[in-house]
Structures are given as structure tokens and as C-alpha cells.
Amino acid sequence: MKRGRKTNEANSSSSEDTAEKESKRHKVVEKKTIVVQSPDWANLLQDIILQVFQYLPLLDRAHASQVCRSWNQVFHMPDLWRCFEFELNQPATSNLRTTHPELIKQIIKRHSNHLQYVSFKVVDSSKESAEAACDILSQLVNCSLKTLGLISTARPSFMDLPKSHFISALTVVFVNSKSLSSLKIDDTPVDDPSLKVLVANNSDTLKLLKMSSCPHVSPAGILCVADQCHGLRELALNYHLLSDELLLALSSEKHVRLEHLRIDVVSENPGQTQFHTIQKSSWDAFIKHSPKVNLVMYFFLYEEEFDPFFRYEIPVTHLYFGRSVSKDVLGRVGMTCPRLVELVVCANGLRPLDEELICIAERCKYLSAVGLGECEVSCSAFVEFVKMCGGRLSQLSIMEEVLIPDQKYSLEQIHWEVSKHLGRVWFPDMMPTW
């Protein structure tokens, strides 16, 4: 029996040794498997660095790229250079941010073919900064931009350049970018021939065109765009470019439904600008084709220049008066703008707008945002206006100085009454004390 027990113990010990050896062998295999997978971990690490870089400002990204060769490789990956904003000003005369010239050279040399979403922001009014933007544009011969924006935060900049120099640079982008979908070129000397080049190369892809204050473009030039760019969904232009023919072109069966149309009605010199009238039939055709369009109109006119406007129904949805507007015109707004969603009046004068506001509340059933600046309204009329509009007034910005106390309401009482009809707490805006 003792001999048998020893034999069993020996067998058991042998089995344990075998199991331990087998376990060690599996661990070695597992370690070898991990070593085999190490290249995938390296790729994963690079992807993580790329995601981190996408959230870093450019300067921090450049500093991080100096850590090691791998990080520097990530810094130059195309995904990080598809979107870029060139900020341009003259450092000698300005403390504002500017894109360093050496970085601009590097982008043109290594990443111009990666750029897709580009904007040029001229942050001073110098001709030199605008010229720098044109010089960069003219070198983007290998690009294929999807969006381009030329932004002047201080005028006139681009308008100071020789037109031929600007057009030559812009045409480089129009010719080489065959898939341009968004173009913002406000306050530039763009002209009809350059728009024809745009259409010839990007008619199938252009969806947004913003070109207010471009004096060298004619109604025929913008009509060419509407006739050929059937995918255009957003358009911003000055009123002098608006015509019956343009509205009918935007209303054709071939054209997609327009989503946003902005029109700036601007007069610099009172009495010297003649404003034409758009036919009601053209507006009717336009709104029938694009029933959900946002029609935004900014008026910067003098009082005597409003005669051609608001004489019959127009489908405007957002209406802004940047200068003083008469009681008569505001009364006509209530009668002719049934689709109105937002109304902002900068100034009116010293005659209360009681009847005009009540008329607007009665006829503009979609009105949801109102702002009144230097105007006058009696407290009773204002409460009645809010009561008629009800809770749909999501934005109501009225200076306290606009409201005139009467026998029914004082300034202390009015915020309670208005809050009750709005369904939320409301107070009039206070004039800053500084």
C-alpha cells in the first residue's frame, strides 16, 4: 500500500509539472502574439495623435510637432490641412493676429493640394493685406476648394486693388476648383466675366453665393449664375441685382428650391439712387417654387426712398430697418408681409407706433421675433400687441425708453403683464450706463 501511494504521488507530481510547463508555454505563445500585433498599436497611436491635433490651435499643434518624428509626420497629414483661415494684416501698423509668412510658404509648398475649406480674413483696411490675399490665391494652382471666403473686417481693402489683379487671382481658384460649393465674396471687384468662369467650371456644385456690395456685377451677370447653377440654394446680393428675370430663373423647374435669399437695399446718398419695382407675379412664381424659403431684407434707406416698396404683398420673412423708418411704411409692412417671422426697427421718431404694431400682430401670424430701438409705443398698445402674438414671441427686445406709460400701465406694471402673455419672465432692456 505504501508503495502504491508513492507511485500515485509521483504520478500526481509529474502531472503538476506537465501542467505548469504547458501553462508557461501558453504564456510564451501569448507574449509572442502580442509582439506580432505591435505594428497595429503603432498605427492606433498615430490615429489618436491625429485626433488630439485636430482639437489643438495651430500654434500648439506646431509646438507639439517638434516632440518627435512621428508627431511631426502627423502634423503634416492631409486631414489637418483641409480647413484653414489666413489672417492677414500689417504687423508694423497693427497688433492684431496674422498668419506668419513662413507658415504661408509651407502651406503653399506642402499642403495647397490638401486645402478644401479656405477663408481669407483681412483684419485691417490696408491695400497691402488685400494684395497678400490675392498673391496666395494666385498660387493655389493645385487646389480643389469646396468653400472660399474673402472677408474684410475693415473696408475697403479688396476694393482698393486694381480689378485686373483681383480677378486674375480669383480666376485661378475658379478654374482649378471643379467642385466649389460655397463662395463668399462681399465687397470685392468681382465682375460678370469672372462669374462666367465660375459657372463654366463649377455650375454643378455651387450651392451658396454671397456677393453683396460688388459694384462691377450687373443683373445680367447674376442672371447667368441663376440660369446655369441649378443647385444653388443660398444667395445674397444687393437689390440693384434683383430683377424679375432673376426671380423667374430661380423659379424654373430645373432649379432646386431656394432655401435662403438675402437682399440688401442700400442707399448712400439720399435722392440719388433710383430703386426699381419687382412685379408681384415674379414674387408669386418664386414663392410657389420655393414655399419654405427664408427671404431676408436689410433696408438702409432714407425716409423719402421707401416709395417703391411695400406697395403689394411680398414674401419677406426677416425684415431689418437699419435707419429711421416712418409710421406709414411700418403700416404698409403690416398689410403686405404676411410671412413675416422677424422684425427689427432701428429707429422711427417721436410718433407712437401703436396702430402699426397692432396691425402687424393681426396680419403677421408667424411673427416670433421683434426688436425696437429708438421708437415710441404706449404701454397699453404694447401689452395688446404681445397678447395678440402670444407665446410664439420667442424673442422680444424692447428698450425701456421705448415704452410710454399711460393710464392703464406703468413701467413697473408692464413686465408682469407681458410676462403673463409670453408665458415666461420678461423685462424690457435697459440702456447701458457707460
Side-chain angles (χ1 to χ4, degrees), residues 151-388:
I151 305 165
S152 296
T153 58
R155 297 179 183 181
S157 76
F158 289 108
M159 292 302 298
D160 274 349
L161 298 178
K163 191 177 76 166
S164 59
H165 179 42
F166 176 83
I167 296 301
S168 175
L170 191 63
T171 302
V172 169
V173 176
F174 288 172
V175 170
N176 290 283
S177 298
K178 305 296 184 181
S179 57
L180 196 63
S181 63
S182 175
L183 180 62
K184 300 178 182 180
I185 46 175
D186 289 345
D187 300 295
T188 64
V190 63
D191 60 6
D192 289 358
S194 57
L195 288 182
K196 289 183 179 180
V197 176
L198 168 69
V199 169
N201 292 277
N202 300 273
S203 61
D204 293 335
T205 58
L206 191 65
K207 294 181 180 180
L208 182 151
L209 178 60
K210 193 171 183 290
M211 47 177 299
S212 295
S213 302
C214 296
H216 300 296
V217 175
S218 72
I222 193 65
L223 181 60
C224 172
V225 175
D227 276 335
Q228 301 297 322
C229 301
H230 297 145
L232 194 66
R233 296 182 182 276
E234 298 185 41
L235 179 62
L237 68 163
N238 282 83
Y239 185 80
H240 79 273
L241 296 179
L242 186 68
S243 64
D244 295 290
E245 293 79 10
L246 177 62
L247 287 177
L248 293 176
L250 295 172
S251 307
S252 68
E253 292 183 1
K254 295 181 180 179
H255 206 287
V256 299
R257 290 182 173 88
L258 208 68
E259 297 173 358
H260 190 93
L261 175 61
R262 169 175 167 163
I263 302 169
D264 292 346
V265 191
V266 182
S267 171
E268 300 294 344
N269 302 305
Q272 297 185 16
T273 305
Q274 297 295 322
F275 292 97
H276 59 285
T277 301
I278 302 296
Q279 299 297 319
K280 184 178 184 301
S281 57
S282 302
W283 283 122
D284 290 343
F286 173 69
I287 202 64
K288 181 179 180 181
H289 180 73
S290 301
K292 296 183 179 180
V293 66
N294 286 320
L295 175 57
V296 182
M297 297 187 75
Y298 283 80
F299 281 87
F300 297 90
L301 301 184
Y302 295 94
E303 191 167 317
E304 62 272 18
E305 296 174 317
F306 276 100
D307 189 62
F309 302 99
F310 308 110
R311 291 297 179 184
Y312 52 80
E313 190 172 296
I314 60 173
V316 62
T317 55
H318 298 73
L319 190 53
Y320 305 92
F321 292 102
R323 292 182 182 144
S324 181
V325 59
S326 68
K327 280 172 61 71
D328 176 62
V329 171
L330 288 175
R332 282 151 46 191
V333 166
M335 300 298 292
T336 59
C337 304
R339 297 180 75 244
L340 195 62
V341 173
E342 183 174 8
L343 173 65
V344 176
V345 180
C346 175
N348 167 257
L350 300 178
R351 298 175 61 191
L353 299 176
D354 295 4
E355 297 85 356
E356 290 72 23
L357 277 183
I358 297 302
C359 177
I360 289 171
E362 286 177 343
R363 297 183 60 89
C364 303
K365 302 298 185 181
Y366 304 103
L367 189 67
S368 61
V370 175
L372 298 180
E374 297 179 14
C375 306
E376 285 193 356
V377 181
S378 71
C379 287
S380 294
F382 182 65
V383 169
E384 182 63 21
F385 167 78
V386 175
K387 181 179 179 180
M388 294 174 69

Side-chain angles (χ1 to χ4, degrees), residues 88 90 120 127-137 161 165:
L88 303 169
Q90 300 306 300
F120 291 83
K127 180 180 178 180
E128 291 78 10
S129 296
E131 285 178 339
C134 287
D135 289 341
I136 298 171
L137 273 175
L161 298 178
H165 179 42

